[in-house]
Amino acid sequence: MQYDQFVHQVQHRARLSSSGEAIKAIHATLETLGERLQPGAAKNLGAQLPTEIAAYLDGAAGQESFDADEFYERVCAREGTGLNTGVFHARAVISVLQDAVSAGEMEDIRSSLPGNYAPLFESGSEGHMKH
């Protein structure tokens, strides 16, 4: 998936009014994900993404231990949104991410995270999210 297509898909799924807002959501979500993943996992994920998107994973410290609630709090703080909006945007970003990379890579990412992250990957940007 090309950079412009990734941004457009996030903008559409998150119902954002501009590509700038989509980029902000992508940055907030992937930087936070990069903080949680082991550095090798972030690098492998980034290898399947456009360079501009992969850079958000690379800038993170990596391998911090925090649960899904903390993940959402960090995304919201970075994006400057409330919890419901930030969760919705993160779900949209992850939904596009799942379309952009191989199923095997997504399975590696999912299996490296605690079980309470599962709803983020299972629900996409639509429907109710189970905690």
Side-chain angles (χ1 to χ4, degrees):
M1 184 179 291
Q2 299 296 319
Y3 174 76
D4 290 340
Q5 184 182 10
F6 195 104
V7 172
H8 175 74
Q9 285 297 314
V10 170
Q11 183 180 349
H12 173 73
R13 292 181 196 183
R15 301 181 193 120
L16 297 166
S17 61
S18 72
S19 60
E21 290 177 341
I23 291 166
K24 192 173 182 181
I26 294 164
H27 187 172
T29 301
L30 295 186
E31 185 174 353
T32 305
L33 183 61
E35 288 173 342
R36 184 60 179 84
L37 297 175
Q38 294 179 354
K43 184 176 181 177
N44 290 342
L45 178 60
Q48 294 188 27
L49 294 170
T51 305
E52 303 91 336
I53 303 285
Y56 300 137
L57 290 164
D58 294 339
Q63 206 169 0
E64 290 183 45
S65 182
F66 50 88
D67 67 8
D69 290 338
E70 175 72 12
F71 174 86
Y72 295 123
E73 290 172 14
R74 290 181 185 207
V75 169
C76 293
R78 284 192 169 99
E79 195 177 354
T81 64
L83 184 60
N84 289 340
T85 301
V87 168
F88 180 70
H89 292 172
R91 292 168 66 194
V93 171
I94 295 299
S95 174
V96 175
L97 182 67
Q98 291 182 108
D99 291 345
V101 303
S102 71
E105 184 58 38
M106 285 312 301
E107 185 55 39
D108 290 347
I109 297 302
R110 290 178 66 168
S111 67
S112 73
L113 296 169
N116 67 350
Y117 280 81
L120 174 66
F121 294 92
E122 294 169 356
S123 59
S125 61
E126 301 295 326
H128 297 289
M129 191 166 94
K130 304 171 201 106
H131 283 289

